[in-house]
Amino acid sequence: QVQLVESGGGLVQAGGSLRLSCAASGRTFSANAMGWFRQAPGKEREFVAGIRWSDGITYYADSVKGRFTISRDNAKNTVYLQMISLKPEDTAVYYCAADRSFPLGQGADYWGQGTQVTVSS
């Protein structure tokens, strides 16, 4: 099992920045891909960004390219999501996920509890 704990969500004005963190523990060697999804009220959960643990290859949803950056700290077993130029439409609960397979998909093996990001206009 892999346990994921997110932190860093909050309330920010449009145009502002936030950094989310996801700390992994447990059988972390079994997770080759980690990333972030989000779910806004009344909407389906959607992919945001992913990273391959072994070599740091990243990929993003078109809606966040150029504004969000995913990174990892191998020593801390932590993945980060740096978000800049935030928009009200980025408001959602953000979930960290991990899986053996790359790229990360909706069927990921492990999920965090989620952290709320609210962007005010």
Side-chain angles (χ1 to χ4, degrees):
Q1 291 285 345
V2 176
Q3 292 78 42
L4 303 173
V5 178
E6 303 103 330
S7 61
L11 173 64
V12 65
Q13 288 188 331
S17 302
L18 278 175
R19 188 177 81 155
L20 305 182
S21 300
C22 174
S25 61
R27 297 171 63 88
T28 56
F29 58 85
S30 66
N32 189 40
M34 290 186 67
W36 295 90
F37 290 74
R38 67 186 181 186
Q39 188 167 21
K43 294 189 175 182
E44 300 277 327
R45 185 173 62 193
E46 63 176 359
F47 169 79
V48 175
I51 188 166
R52 187 158 63 188
W53 199 258
S54 57
D55 56 13
I57 286 180
T58 60
Y59 56 110
Y60 299 90
D62 288 343
S63 58
V64 306
K65 280 181 182 175
R67 299 189 299 121
F68 292 10
T69 302
I70 188 170
S71 62
R72 77 203 195 289
D73 184 328
N74 291 37
K76 296 181 178 179
N77 287 330
T78 299
V79 169
Y80 303 98
L81 186 68
Q82 179 67 52
M83 306 183 292
I84 65 170
S85 302
L86 283 161
K87 305 174 182 179
E89 51 263 44
D90 293 318
T91 295
V93 177
Y94 283 68
Y95 296 93
C96 179
D99 196 87
R100 299 179 191 88
S101 301
F102 179 85
L104 199 64
Q106 293 279 2
D109 291 333
Y110 307 105
W111 294 87
Q113 80 286 354
T115 186
Q116 177 71 46
V117 172
T118 303
V119 185
S120 63
S121 57

